[in-house]
Amino acid sequence: MEEYRVSAPEVLRKPLVVPEKLLMGPGPSNAHPRVLEAMARPILGHLHPETLKIMDDIKAGMRYLFQTNNAATFCLSASGHGGMEATLCNLLEDGDVVLIGHTGHWGDRAADMASRYGADVHMVRASKPGGSLTLAEIRKAIETHRPSVLFLTQGESSTGVLQGLEGVGPLCRANDCLLVVDTVASLGGTPFHMDRWEVDAVYTGSQKVLGAPPGITPISFNHRAVERYKRRQTKVKVYYWDMFLVGDYWGCFGRPRIYHHTISSTLLYGLREAIALACEESIPSLIARHQDCAKRLHDGLRAMGMELYAQERDRLPTVTTIRVPAGVDWLKVSQYAMKTYLVEISGGLGPTAGQVFRIGLMGQNATSERVDRVLQVFRDSIKAAKPDFVFPRSASKM
């Protein structure tokens, strides 16, 4: 008998243990029981007719949530980062000028990715930390740099900033520029109208407001983006992100379906049910619920004497950033909340690392009960990390 020198690990003889946690960070969010139940169903082949039908259901649902009639609406087998990669990879060639709107960490990440695809990268930065870009600032940057692509993050989860988009699409069209928007942390929590706002490419996260597992990313390209693809002088640099190849697998262009990769049927089930739940609730109700919960959270934080990081007019409903009070160790607060209550409260990311706490209200976690729960846990965790911390008298009643 052949000898195998590496033994099976003892740790895998033990049963799998997964604790139940309340995920009140910037994502992922807790999934609805219907999503979890759907994912327990049998695995299907990646080209079985039942799988293709589920993919078609997802396309229809995402057209509703993106508010678009784009044929090229499908999903990538990847996390939200894959959406950023795919939009830039398909729409940029060597030497193309791309303008990145910077309101936090995801502007830096997009700039890094675009440079790897050979683009000439320029930034337009928000004038104040915790603020968004004005239309005038965007216009000036477009006229200065003459980009072929403008990239904006609608919901910047590192800073809690909501970027306004109205008026940007027509401005881009007047300057022969494509508008790409990241809605990973915002879709479903704030209005988004792809067609009406003349957005050329968009992607979102499955694991945020939708409350599906990460690993499958909805994306949509309009006719202008598809035409830009057709005019490419070179092949898309990454096979896996190629819009036409993935789009043909998803049946977007009226051609026979092809094998592109082996999609996870399990992730499709979860995403399909998450989208169905959002459609049943309706976009207006979904947004109103997130905005109501955000107001409740903000009011509660202010009653505790906390200072919010994002400017009031630019606050993202789904991710709230709170300045770390002087003398408080944010990591001890976060660790205490998790160890004691199994509640996730996150620290900052990128430019806000060490400066803020981040609390997410997304999907199943955007309820008044969970807002009140995270406020109580946050207060108790600050007190545990810094016993001499003094809250306003009103906060003691929470």
Side-chain angles (χ1 to χ4, degrees), residues 82-96:
M84 187 180 286
E85 291 271 17
T87 51
L88 298 172
C89 186
N90 278 281
L91 301 178
L92 293 172
E93 295 188 79
D94 288 341
D96 284 351

Side-chain angles (χ1 to χ4, degrees), residues 108-155:
D108 292 324
R109 184 61 54 85
D112 187 353
M113 288 185 185
S115 70
R116 293 167 186 252
Y117 293 124
D120 179 10
V121 180
H122 296 270
M123 287 266 202
V124 53
R125 295 178 181 271
S127 56
K128 293 182 180 179
S132 66
L133 291 156
T134 67
L135 190 60
E137 288 171 332
I138 294 171
R139 178 183 293 108
K140 181 179 179 181
I142 287 176
E143 291 172 351
T144 299
H145 300 294
R146 313 303 303 178
S148 64
V149 170
L150 169 65
F151 176 95
L152 294 176
T153 304
Q154 185 188 32

Side-chain angles (χ1 to χ4, degrees), residues 48 58 62 80 148 154 221 270 287 320 352 357:
H48 287 185
I58 289 171
M62 285 314 306
S148 64
Q154 185 188 32
F221 297 91
I287 291 172
T320 296
T352 61
F357 295 104

Side-chain angles (χ1 to χ4, degrees), residues 14 36 82 222-223 232 395:
K14 299 176 182 178
L36 299 177
N222 72 2
H223 66 284
R232 291 181 64 96

Side-chain angles (χ1 to χ4, degrees), residues 86 89-91 229 232 234-239 241-243:
C89 186
N90 278 281
L91 301 178
Y229 173 100
R232 291 181 64 96
T234 58
K235 276 188 175 183
V236 172
K237 290 188 175 183
V238 180
Y239 178 93
W241 306 134
D242 192 302
M243 178 204 310

